[in-house]
Amino acid sequence: MRSILTPTQRIVTIAGVAGSLIAGGVIGATLAGPLAATAANNGSNTQLAAASASPSASAGTFKSNENATHESGETATVEAQENSGQRPGGGTGKFTPNENATHEQGESAAREAQETAGQRPTVP
């Protein structure tokens, strides 16, 4: 059986398909890259709020995980902190603010003042 496409048409078709695949990969990476960075960043913000020594009203009320599986791995100290309404382990280490220029651009004056005073920020 004879091919319908000439050798030149075959090469152009293969190059077009390959180019489309590459362009699709670049577009996908361009769109998904910032989304992945945002997701990773949001995890950091959540972790910062959980580590806050004195959570603000906007951070919500601390609720202990009383699941039996979770409880079986807890120390008596952590359980005592949870029972008294404290976030376990929050704010016990030395606070070191993030002074990266990109991070600083998004900070409010109130947050910067807390960081400058050596306090864990409770405001965005």
Side-chain angles (χ1 to χ4, degrees):
M1 206 174 217
R2 217 173 98 135
S3 175
I4 297 173
L5 298 176
T6 65
T8 304
Q9 289 173 326
R10 229 179 284 150
I11 290 171
V12 169
T13 302
I14 291 170
V17 170
S20 295
L21 287 171
I22 291 170
V26 169
I27 291 169
T30 302
L31 294 175
L35 295 175
T38 301
N41 220 3
N42 285 344
S44 298
N45 290 344
T46 302
Q47 194 172 26
L48 177 63
S52 178
S54 54
S56 66
S58 64
T61 305
F62 171 73
K63 292 191 174 45
S64 172
N65 181 352
E66 297 298 326
N67 179 288
T69 306
H70 172 80
E71 291 293 308
S72 67
E74 263 182 12
T75 65
T77 304
V78 169
E79 184 61 27
Q81 288 175 328
E82 288 179 354
N83 290 340
S84 68
Q86 298 175 357
R87 290 185 190 276
T92 58
K94 181 181 182 322
F95 172 70
T96 306
N98 180 352
E99 296 298 330
N100 177 289
T102 304
H103 171 79
E104 291 294 308
Q105 288 176 350
E107 275 187 1
S108 66
R111 183 183 180 96
E112 184 59 32
Q114 287 178 326
E115 289 181 357
T116 302
Q119 299 172 350
R120 289 185 188 279
T122 58
V123 293

